[in-house]
Amino acid sequence: MSSLERPSTPQPPVPDQPGGDSDDAERASEIEESRKVNARANQSPLPPADSAFVKIHLNLFPEALLKKIKTVKNKRRIFKMIKARSEESTYKSAAELLTSISATIWELVKSSKETLNLNVNDTPDLLGVFPVANNKTFSWDTVEGGSVAHIPHYRVEALVELKGFENTSKGASQANDHAQQHLRARPDHPGVYSLSMRPQGFHILYTDTSGAHTSEEFLWDRLDILAAFVYSIYDPPQGHILRDPSIWWQSSNPQDPLSPPVWTVTAGGKEYHHGELIFGGHPCGRRTTVIKCPWPENGFHILIKDYYPQLTRRFAENPLVEGIHEDGIAPGVVRFASAEEVKYAGESMTCGTGGEKRIRQRILMPDYGVRLLEAKSVNDLLKAVYDVLEVHRMLVLERKVLHRDMSINNILMYPKWGPFVKKGFINKRPPLIEDVLAGRLREPSSYQANCLLIDFDNSAKLVDGEGPDEMIYRTGTPMYIARSVNAGRVWVPFRNDYLPMPDLSDQARHLYAQVHGMERYNSFQDTEGTMHGGVPPPQGEIPEVQDGFIHKPEYDAESVWWSLLSTGLLVKPVNDQDTPQTSRSLKIQWDVFSKHDIMDTENRDCTYIDNREAVFFHATENQFLASFLPNMQAFGATLYQIARQVAPSYPLMNPPPPQPDHLHEAMQRIILNYLVEHRDKDILLDPKNLRSTDGPGPKWQPAPQPEGSTRPATAESSRSRKRARDVEAAVGERQSKRIAQSKEASLPVEATEGFHYPFKFRAE
């Protein structure tokens, strides 16, 4: 880090003077009042200072220096907090107390800085912020009346949640929510400390990839523990990495301390500047983040992906992707320019102290695209989905790789292929949708997929067409996960309405035969008594199902369907508006869709209903189409046809369909029929104005806003109650969100502004 990026000479305030012996009576009175308050609240006994949390997650402040913390002013501040009966009345005292401790500790450590931008629906009550050094007229008190709701995360080092005496909630879960939002916005922060305070006592939290670790509640006579909280932010204990020196921020406008940040990332021995944070996954688990940086050598952009895979994973993402492109570029699949482990103090950056260990990985990708929600027309959307199904078939049948996390986050369209080219295309190029519509396979110079498939860190290598032990693990994104994967066993629908393989129209079949040949077409055609080549159970019979499952290619195809459906519900034609009826139907459907979560396997013996199935698979066509706009009815009818093919549970057949890509074929035939019929009747979409769900669940808007998480990743969350083999599913990109910046983040920046330590705590 250059000298320009280091803080200015510190100018901390003068710490409060320690109290003398005359203060002992006052302190005894205050502590006695604290104990009375705790007794009234039926609190547990005081936890010991050598508790597990303190031993693992805190760096204790030197005992000989505690007198500098236990000042008369600090004791009075604590007493005011103890006597407070409303949450708001604690803010000032709490902020002054923590700022005083911070100033005292800074005098001892005088360490260096690090530090981003994210607006959230809910905000903490106090933030640890730095005074801005280069802007002498700026004060946090001038930020919207001093409200912490308007302070960007890149100015923040610690977060505090306060509760009043009458609030029975301890606030730890809410503090953890704030910590998770902070980590989403701070790729330079592998971990973060937060604090939950109330008149009865306080909790300390440490959050990183292993989840949220929460202390016992300490009473207010434990200033040594409160000092340890602040001290650990300045000087974290062994194994707790709060700042990654390989990535740092700069203000996009040094004259505006609230402007969005731009990022510099070190990778492969080079520095990439002016980066924009475009994706931030769930901060616990893999914690995928993506930064888009200009690529000066060639005028393109490059994506830098950081993530924390499990150390026990059998298949690493980089070798899988390298293998896919080993003897030629596989169309529609992301490529890697480089891959490496991020280093910290000369060693691999390992996170997860007190939980599961993970090592930070960094991958540079020359290819990128946009979300399906940014489709410019219905035909463009369906072409991208057709191609991703064909690419997925190629991966399964030719490369023996199963993706296992097909979702709207990992299926991109309008791909831009970087100039990073080491070889030509693979010899056996699969015919893509443009080839089918043209009736011939294009030349390599014009051959390109309409999709870009990314994020292979959940993928597995198939062995003889079947999966190894890795394939029994559940993984996926909750909204888009297949029903059998969600349940951890072969799914038994409420009803199984098996349908034969769809036929193509005469014109579509002719085009299909031109590139695939009729042999492939006929290999999927049903004979008497078969559906998709399998034999369904007798009508009304429910086959016996054993626990456990193997992740099948058709489950990934089902996830593609859920991704297409979520997009189809939200896109809107140009100059088309919702009616009260369509708006009401959309709210109902989206509420069910967005609230879907991964099934708790410990309770699998109880009756479990996947509400997505009831709403989308058991609906009549009129019910299904009720949420689609008038100009989208034909498109909606196509989605309904696909839904009827996806709905049955094919593994319940005896024998099941013989070809692993049978569902891909069915979905692609329906899409091809639509594209042939509507080739000259495309529907233009307005990607800047998506439909509003205006109800519970995620609110998808044209400039996607991150959601405030309402479910902390604690030991009591539904994910952590799953069996050990489900851990990857639990943490796998749950509610992954693209982080939108309010301004362009590619502005030229000459230097990072400095900071005056210590950081202060601001109250709303």
Side-chain angles (χ1 to χ4, degrees):
M1 192 175 293
S2 69
S3 60
L4 291 175
E5 293 152 357
R6 295 191 178 279
S8 308
T9 304
Q11 299 176 356
V14 178
D16 297 328
Q17 298 300 314
D21 295 339
S22 60
D23 298 319
D24 289 347
E26 181 181 3
R27 179 177 186 276
S29 173
E30 293 168 357
I31 298 304
E32 179 61 26
E33 179 66 21
S34 173
R35 294 188 183 280
K36 288 179 181 178
V37 171
N38 277 278
R40 288 196 299 270
N42 296 318
Q43 294 299 301
S44 58
L46 183 71
D50 60 350
S51 68
F53 181 90
V54 173
K55 282 184 175 180
I56 297 173
H57 298 294
L58 292 181
N59 198 3
L60 292 177
F61 191 64
E63 186 174 355
L65 301 175
L66 282 176
K67 284 187 177 181
K68 295 180 178 291
I69 302 295
K70 298 177 180 180
T71 65
V72 174
K73 288 184 178 179
N74 281 346
K75 297 169 192 173
R76 288 173 177 166
R77 289 161 181 155
I78 292 174
F79 188 68
K80 289 180 180 178
M81 291 182 59
I82 292 172
K83 300 291 289 183
R85 288 300 181 266
S86 69
E87 179 178 318
E88 291 75 12
S89 61
T90 65
Y91 289 177
K92 181 178 180 181
S93 297
E96 290 175 350
L97 172 65
L98 293 171
T99 296
S100 172
I101 295 174
S102 176
T104 302
I105 291 176
W106 166 248
E107 285 298 315
L108 300 173
V109 296
K110 297 190 185 307
S111 58
S112 64
K113 77 131 180 81
E114 294 305 317
T115 3
L116 274 199
N117 186 12
L118 180 65
N119 293 323
V120 295
N121 296 329
D122 189 17
T123 60
D125 301 307
L126 301 180
L127 296 172
V129 297
F130 295 102
V132 179
N134 291 357
N135 195 323
K136 304 302 182 184
T137 63
F138 180 82
S139 168
W140 291 119
D141 296 319
T142 66
V143 181
E144 296 288 339
S147 171
V148 300
H150 297 86
I151 297 177
H153 271 278
Y154 69 95
R155 301 290 181 182
V156 175
E157 289 293 302
L159 308 98
V160 183
E161 178 65 25
L162 284 151
K163 295 295 180 185
F165 178 79
E166 295 180 356
N167 193 324
T168 57
S169 170
K170 295 182 179 179
S173 294
Q174 200 168 351
N176 179 43
D177 283 347
H178 303 322
Q180 291 188 16
Q181 291 290 352
H182 178 80
L183 291 177
R184 278 195 174 104
R186 295 298 300 266
D188 60 329
H189 278 189
V192 67
Y193 283 98
S194 54
L195 184 66
S196 172
M197 305 170 73
R198 62 177 186 153
Q200 294 92 325
F202 60 91
H203 291 83
I204 299 172
L205 296 87
Y206 178 74
T207 305
D208 66 2
T209 58
S210 61
H213 305 274
T214 308
S215 75
E216 309 91 331
E217 184 167 47
F218 293 98
L219 303 186
W220 282 110
D221 56 357
R222 297 309 302 268
L223 265 179
D224 56 329
I225 302 298
L226 195 62
F229 160 72
V230 178
Y231 187 41
S232 297
I233 299 171
Y234 284 111
D235 185 14
Q238 182 70 27
H240 294 66
I241 304 175
L242 302 187
R243 301 167 188 90
D244 179 355
S246 70
I247 176 173
W248 62 93
W249 66 273
Q250 296 171 309
S251 175
S252 58
N253 180 4
Q255 302 306 312
D256 179 8
L258 302 184
S259 63
V262 291
W263 295 91
T264 297
V265 185
T266 302
K270 297 181 180 179
E271 288 186 358
Y272 296 86
H273 301 280
H274 311 306
E276 175 190 3
L277 179 62
I278 63 171
F279 185 91
H282 196 279
C284 303
R286 289 182 319 215
R287 195 191 166 186
T288 301
T289 59
V290 180
I291 294 176
K292 182 179 179 181
C293 294
W295 203 354
E297 292 94 346
N298 47 52
F300 284 74
H301 285 81
I302 194 163
L303 299 187
I304 303 176
K305 170 185 172 179
D306 280 16
Y307 69 111
Y308 298 78
Q310 290 176 309
L311 298 183
T312 56
R313 283 195 57 79
R314 178 176 175 182
F315 302 108
E317 182 176 19
N318 183 48
L320 277 174
V321 173
E322 288 293 323
I324 290 171
H325 298 293
E326 185 175 8
D327 59 356
I329 297 173
V333 178
V334 69
R335 300 167 297 167
F336 294 165
S338 69
E340 63 187 19
E341 289 185 353
V342 178
K343 303 297 182 181
Y344 182 81
E347 303 289 338
S348 298
M349 182 179 290
T350 304
C351 296
T353 299
E356 183 183 40
K357 302 285 187 182
R358 294 172 180 260
I359 292 179
R360 186 166 187 163
Q361 307 283 334
R362 181 162 294 158
I363 292 174
L364 271 64
M365 301 178 290
D367 312 318
Y368 54 94
V370 302
R371 303 175 306 155
L372 297 180
L373 289 168
E374 297 181 47
K376 298 174 183 177
S377 75
V378 168
N379 285 4
D380 285 357
L381 173 62
L382 290 176
K383 286 178 180 180
V385 173
Y386 183 101
D387 276 1
V388 84
L389 288 167
E390 191 65 35
V391 168
H392 189 272
R393 295 173 80 166
M394 178 266 296
L395 291 175
V396 171
L397 300 176
E398 302 296 332
R399 290 297 188 260
K400 308 300 181 186
V401 171
L402 189 58
H403 191 277
R404 299 200 307 159
D405 192 13
M406 303 293 283
S407 75
I408 198 173
N409 302 312
N410 298 330
I411 303 170
L412 305 181
M413 65 185 303
Y414 301 131
K416 294 185 180 298
W417 306 98
F420 175 74
V421 177
K422 292 184 177 179
K423 59 192 77 172
F425 285 108
I426 56 176
N427 292 328
K428 192 176 180 180
R429 291 181 290 139
L432 302 170
I433 186 60
E434 299 294 354
D435 302 302
V436 177
L437 293 175
R440 60 180 177 82
L441 188 63
R442 292 165 291 169
E443 294 297 322
S445 59
S446 59
Y447 179 81
Q448 179 174 304
N450 287 295
C451 68
L452 176 63
L453 186 56
I454 64 172
D455 197 359
F456 283 79
D457 50 337
N458 268 328
S459 301
K461 188 76 173 175
L462 300 175
V463 180
D464 296 327
E466 294 293 334
D469 292 343
E470 186 81 11
M471 301 292 285
I472 67 174
Y473 300 159
R474 299 189 305 160
T475 184
T477 304
M479 280 179 65
Y480 315 103
I481 195 169
R483 291 157 297 162
S484 290
V485 183
N486 178 62
R489 63 183 179 189
V490 174
W491 181 248
V492 181
F494 179 73
R495 68 171 186 260
N496 256 329
D497 295 330
Y498 294 99
L499 295 176
M501 181 66 62
D503 287 321
L504 289 174
S505 67
D506 291 342
Q507 186 180 359
R509 184 167 59 252
H510 172 74
L511 294 172
Y512 180 105
Q514 292 292 102
V515 294
H516 290 298
M518 286 303 296
E519 183 178 353
R520 168 168 147 166
Y521 185 83
N522 292 330
S523 69
F524 287 98
Q525 290 301 95
D526 287 307
T527 58
E528 186 176 354
T530 69
M531 304 287 184
H532 287 225
V535 179
Q539 190 70 27
E541 178 181 315
I542 301 178
E544 184 178 346
V545 178
Q546 302 296 325
D547 274 356
F549 82 114
I550 298 294
H551 199 124
K552 296 179 178 295
E554 65 195 53
Y555 298 156
D556 275 8
E558 180 180 334
S559 293
V560 173
W561 147 250
W562 291 119
S563 301
L564 174 59
L565 175 65
S566 70
T567 305
L569 288 173
L570 298 174
V571 294
K572 183 169 64 174
V574 174
N575 299 324
D576 206 351
Q577 299 296 328
D578 268 295
T579 66
Q581 173 61 36
T582 58
S583 180
R584 182 165 56 252
S585 298
L586 175 61
K587 292 175 186 177
I588 295 172
Q589 291 182 343
W590 189 256
D591 186 31
V592 171
F593 199 5
S594 64
K595 285 183 176 180
H596 180 262
D597 203 354
I598 296 176
M599 178 182 176
D600 182 353
T601 56
E602 288 188 359
N603 296 323
R604 68 169 63 205
D605 291 335
C606 65
T607 301
Y608 178 78
I609 298 176
D610 191 319
N611 288 329
R612 297 175 305 170
E613 181 178 77
V615 171
F616 297 109
F617 289 155
H618 297 163
T620 66
E621 184 170 6
N622 287 338
Q623 291 171 334
F624 185 91
L625 294 176
S627 62
F628 286 86
L629 297 173
N631 290 337
M632 299 285 278
Q633 289 293 301
F635 169 68
T638 297
L639 297 190
Y640 179 72
Q641 292 177 45
I642 299 176
R644 297 196 66 197
Q645 294 288 333
V646 175
S649 184
Y650 294 98
L652 296 178
M653 290 180 162
N654 188 17
Q659 302 190 68
D661 54 342
H662 68 95
L663 188 54
H664 300 68
E665 178 76 10
M667 295 170 66
Q668 286 178 295
R669 288 189 181 189
I670 295 172
I671 292 173
L672 180 57
N673 277 335
Y674 179 93
L675 290 173
V676 169
E677 181 181 351
H678 295 81
R679 179 181 290 192
D680 300 322
K681 297 181 290 185
D682 198 3
I683 301 172
L684 299 181
L685 301 175
D686 185 0
K688 294 184 178 180
N689 292 288
L690 300 179
R691 301 174 70 190
S692 174
T693 56
D694 192 24
K699 310 292 192 300
W700 293 93
Q701 297 300 335
Q705 299 296 318
E707 305 166 9
S709 174
T710 58
R711 243 177 264 178
T714 64
E716 298 178 358
S717 70
S718 63
R719 298 178 182 279
S720 59
R721 293 196 301 265
K722 292 178 173 62
R723 295 178 299 186
R725 72 182 188 182
D726 293 316
V727 169
E728 191 66 10
V731 299
E733 292 316 317
R734 183 172 186 264
Q735 299 180 359
S736 298
K737 303 296 168 240
R738 178 186 171 106
I739 299 180
Q741 305 294 347
S742 61
K743 300 178 183 177
E744 288 295 328
S746 58
L747 304 176
V749 179
E750 295 185 2
T752 297
E753 59 190 297
F755 288 97
H756 288 313
Y757 270 77
F759 60 81
K760 297 181 179 181
F761 285 83
R762 286 288 310 135
E764 184 172 12

